[in-house]
Amino acid sequence: MALAQLSLSLQFAQRFKGIERHRAALPRHSVARWIRHALDADGEITVRIVDAEEGQRLNREFRGKDYATNVLTFDYAQSPVVMADLVLCAPVVASEAKEQRKTLAAHYAHLLVHGTLHAQGWDHETGEADAEEMEAREIEILAGLGIRNPYGR
């Protein structure tokens, strides 16, 4: 099966502490590869790496949750082309990667796959069965990319 086509915009917010480390973990070709493996249709996706302040503001404004979270997915269309913005909060991602004893790149790969699935309608917050199905799909995609199970099972 051929991989989906992808139009990718990769953005980094204004300079923040440790931005160089995040840029190094996110080479454009890797980001495109991770997302393409999670796409079931062609996509136009913007990935934006932000600091804690912007991450918190977006989460508060769009989800009503007043804290920075690892990834936010703004999906605009699922057909015929998947169109979405994926916003990842660098300090949260770095903290989680350290806590979970993962490389920064592996955690970004997982979150980009996770966000791309959300952009296509997958939702782990609608019930336990949906969460298990989404996790299984993430594990399958990441295994195909040579990345170990992010859930540690």
Side-chain angles (χ1 to χ4, degrees):
M1 180 172 93
L3 292 176
Q5 295 296 306
L6 173 64
S7 173
L8 172 67
S9 174
L10 179 58
Q11 304 173 359
F12 290 84
Q14 70 275 7
R15 296 191 62 81
F16 54 85
K17 184 178 180 183
I19 191 171
E20 296 79 14
R21 187 171 145 229
H22 293 272
R23 284 184 186 275
L26 291 163
R28 183 180 178 75
H29 69 278
S30 294
V31 172
R33 181 172 176 256
W34 300 332
I35 292 172
R36 287 180 69 217
H37 274 78
L39 281 172
D40 292 327
D42 292 346
E44 295 178 10
I45 297 185
T46 297
V47 173
R48 181 166 170 80
I49 310 303
V50 301
D51 61 12
E53 182 180 328
E54 184 174 347
Q56 181 174 358
R57 181 181 57 77
L58 289 169
N59 202 25
R60 181 178 55 246
E61 288 178 14
F62 292 97
R63 294 181 65 225
K65 299 182 179 187
D66 196 17
Y67 58 87
T69 190
N70 52 17
V71 60
L72 293 167
T73 301
F74 299 93
D75 58 322
Y76 309 112
Q78 294 176 356
S79 179
V81 175
V82 177
M83 296 174 65
D85 293 337
L86 306 179
V87 179
L88 293 97
C89 183
V92 174
V93 175
S95 176
E96 289 177 349
K98 183 178 179 179
E99 177 183 299
Q100 297 170 21
R101 295 188 171 111
K102 298 178 185 176
T103 66
L104 189 57
H107 197 40
Y108 269 121
H110 175 214
L111 294 173
L112 287 166
V113 165
H114 182 88
T116 301
L117 290 178
H118 272 306
Q120 297 172 98
W122 293 76
D123 192 345
H124 55 85
E125 295 181 352
T126 52
E128 190 172 329
D130 291 338
E132 289 174 5
E133 186 178 2
M134 186 171 175
E135 284 181 11
R137 182 69 180 125
E138 290 172 22
I139 292 165
E140 176 184 25
I141 292 166
L142 292 167
L145 291 165
I147 298 170
R148 69 177 174 86
N149 180 342
Y151 298 103
R153 290 181 280 222

